[in-house]
Amino acid sequence: MRYVFGGTVALGLSATLACASPASEPPQGHLELVLENLEREPCAGSMSHLEAHVERIFEFLGVAVPGDFRVPVYVEDDVPCGFYACYLPATRSVHVPDLDRGSRRPTGVIRHELAHAVIDRAWGRSVPFLTEGLAEAMARSTAWPVLPEPTLAIGDMLDATGLALDYQAAARFVRFLIDTRGLAAFEQFFRSTQERSQTAIRASIEAVYGEDFDSLESEFLAGPACQYQLDLCDERGADRLDEAWLEVFAASCLDPDFYGSDGADRPLFATRRTLRLDEGGSYRLRLEGELVVSPGGIPRLPQVALVRCGGCDQQFTRVFQPGEHELQLDAGLYALELLPADTSVLTVAIDRVDEGESPP
């Protein structure tokens, strides 16, 4: 059995499954989700979330979305990749074995593979270090670590592929090049680098940047490094946080506000909000939500990730469980990614703490 989802789906999942079939009307958006592995079902907001991410990447690269850009995403037991998941340029299709996996952020792998599809259409192909680094630079696919992260030497992995490549390290170096030398120079470097060898890649760096790799790497290692946050941090539509901000969520995979998936083992879905703090100071974050026991008997708590948007000298990520948490925050843009433990009612609040007030 195969189910096909097209366009920006905003229906309850049961209704979507009842209507979707190979004979469904042609998709109206940029993506088509083809489910052959039915162990997990997409949340109602997944397609619109992924569509928006595709558009953000095109915008970042400075390329208009082609009118005929459409990518099928196959969720199948036997991916034709040789890797966990892949984008195949020959067929312009994405292949993943499952919708979500617990070590990843919701829809994280699909976001990464769709970035490959956009990059391939906008700029073509390059060596794995650059293609994987650029795709992962657009948005972190893995679960949230504590940021900032240490920079790593990347010289030995310039000609690497597969398991030998540290995707996050490559992503941080890609952002470093774009931020310090410009997007146009990086595009030239990307397009002109086709041979996967240390000699060829280092020669391409020197030809484009007029600098040798060792000097660039030394500068990279000396400063903070990070990835972009295109899937979370967008000033357009951000809520203003003055003295207090509060929202109550009826968290459900059937709600079009949530992206990710649900399955027999457990749900893995999220929603996001962007906040603009006009004034720095002491704040208190409160997350209210109950412990949930999964079908396998594992207790789980909801979490909220607070992400500082901006340059590598500004970014950080902190992940909180239910309770009250004291924070010192600078003015600027922040994103919240809320990860429910299951269908439930959750409250997230951030309040400014008056000077002299004791923490809880």
Side-chain angles (χ1 to χ4, degrees), residues 54-66 118-119 121-123 134 138 178 183-184 187 191 230:
V54 162
E55 292 173 357
R56 285 275 281 158
I57 297 174
F58 272 114
E59 179 183 30
F60 177 86
L61 296 178
V63 177
V65 184
V118 174
I119 295 163
R121 190 65 183 272
W123 288 359
L134 182 56
M138 300 300 178
I178 294 173
L183 183 64
E187 180 183 355
R191 289 178 179 271
L230 300 188

Side-chain angles (χ1 to χ4, degrees), residues 102-304:
S103 62
R104 307 282 180 170
R105 291 174 56 213
T107 72
V109 172
I110 296 178
R111 277 196 305 270
H112 176 95
E113 300 304 335
L114 286 173
H116 281 300
V118 174
I119 295 163
D120 180 44
R121 190 65 183 272
W123 288 359
R125 287 168 249 171
S126 187
V127 295
F129 181 86
L130 296 180
T131 57
E132 298 297 347
L134 182 56
E136 185 64 17
M138 300 300 178
R140 173 176 296 276
S141 62
T142 56
W144 287 114
V146 176
L147 296 177
E149 296 177 283
T151 54
L152 300 175
I154 46 86
D156 289 345
M157 65 180 79
L158 288 176
D159 59 348
T161 187
L163 297 178
L165 178 60
D166 185 319
Y167 283 28
Q168 282 71 49
R172 293 192 289 270
F173 187 68
V174 163
R175 174 163 186 174
F176 160 76
L177 287 178
I178 294 173
D179 284 358
T180 61
R181 271 71 176 172
L183 183 64
F186 181 79
E187 180 183 355
Q188 182 184 352
F189 175 41
F190 184 96
R191 289 178 179 271
S192 64
T193 306
Q194 300 296 321
E195 181 184 337
R196 186 170 62 87
S197 73
Q198 285 280 344
T199 300
I201 295 170
R202 288 169 183 259
S204 182
I205 287 173
E206 191 159 353
V208 172
Y209 293 109
E211 305 171 72
D212 62 32
F213 169 76
D214 291 338
S215 64
L216 280 173
E217 186 185 42
S218 295
E219 182 182 340
F220 165 68
L221 294 173
C226 63
Q227 298 171 218
Y228 293 108
Q229 306 158 308
L230 300 188
D231 63 318
L232 285 175
C233 296
D234 189 349
E235 289 190 273
R236 295 167 292 193
D239 293 337
R240 182 170 175 267
L241 198 164
D242 187 2
E243 294 297 320
W245 177 90
L246 179 147
E247 187 163 351
V248 179
F249 298 86
S252 169
C253 197
L254 301 177
D255 187 329
D257 195 32
F258 286 83
Y259 51 90
S261 60
D262 198 357
D265 55 346
R266 65 173 178 131
L268 187 61
F269 61 107
T271 192
R272 57 184 176 167
R273 294 294 184 271
T274 310
L275 304 176
R276 164 65 66 182
L277 270 67
D278 291 333
E279 187 175 347
S282 296
Y283 289 84
R284 183 177 299 131
L285 183 148
R286 184 175 82 254
L287 172 62
E288 296 179 3
E290 297 181 355
L291 179 124
V292 173
V293 178
S294 70
I298 300 174
R300 299 176 62 238
L301 286 167
Q303 295 182 330
V304 62

